[in-house]
Amino acid sequence: MWWNKYIGIPYEFRGRTKDGADCYGLVEIIQREVFGVDLPNSHTIDVPLSEVREGDMVRMTELFGGRVLNRHCGIITGDKHILHTTENVGSFNEPLRKAKHKIKGVYRVVT
């Protein structure tokens, strides 16, 4: 399971390495290392949540200072989980069914 080596990466605001990453950095690392995709130069399409598959990216809400913000992201793993990172926990795998209410969009890289 490729995602196991990305669990436990410490949270670091604007981090883009395995020594520390924020949610965007974590998704960039995985897309590059696992899927061979350079995100800044890639094209994505919207995908219905019902058609989610491994490697799709999700935009999610997060709580910050008592407010709900739409600025969090993660990536779908092959076991129908979302791998993402938070300040309190670092990177972890959360069941998709548990996080469904937080998902605001699903995106797939197209080549």
Side-chain angles (χ1 to χ4, degrees):
M1 294 179 238
W2 62 262
W3 52 88
N4 284 335
K5 72 178 184 179
Y6 298 97
I7 294 174
I9 293 174
Y11 178 87
E12 182 181 320
F13 181 65
R14 294 191 178 157
R16 298 287 187 267
T17 71
K18 290 181 188 172
D19 293 328
D22 62 12
C23 59
Y24 296 102
L26 181 66
V27 168
E28 282 182 3
I29 292 167
I30 292 169
Q31 285 290 356
R32 183 178 57 250
E33 292 183 1
V34 177
F35 300 100
V37 172
D38 181 21
L39 279 184
N41 299 314
S42 298
H43 178 69
T44 60
I45 59 170
D46 293 349
V47 179
L49 185 57
S50 61
E51 296 177 20
V52 71
R53 68 181 187 206
E54 182 178 38
D56 286 346
M57 298 169 288
V58 293
R59 183 173 50 83
M60 306 163 63
T61 60
E62 70 174 322
L63 282 174
F64 186 79
R67 297 182 357 210
V68 176
L69 304 175
N70 290 318
R71 64 177 196 187
H72 188 56
C73 66
I75 192 163
I76 300 295
T77 61
D79 61 349
K80 297 295 184 201
H81 280 63
I82 300 170
L83 184 60
H84 59 115
T85 187
T86 64
E87 248 181 308
N88 302 334
V89 181
S91 61
F92 65 102
N93 221 5
E94 180 177 18
L96 181 60
R97 63 176 162 61
K98 183 179 172 189
K100 260 185 180 174
H101 70 282
K102 299 187 282 188
I103 297 173
K104 299 302 173 193
V106 180
Y107 308 93
R108 182 171 298 149
V109 174
V110 292
T111 53

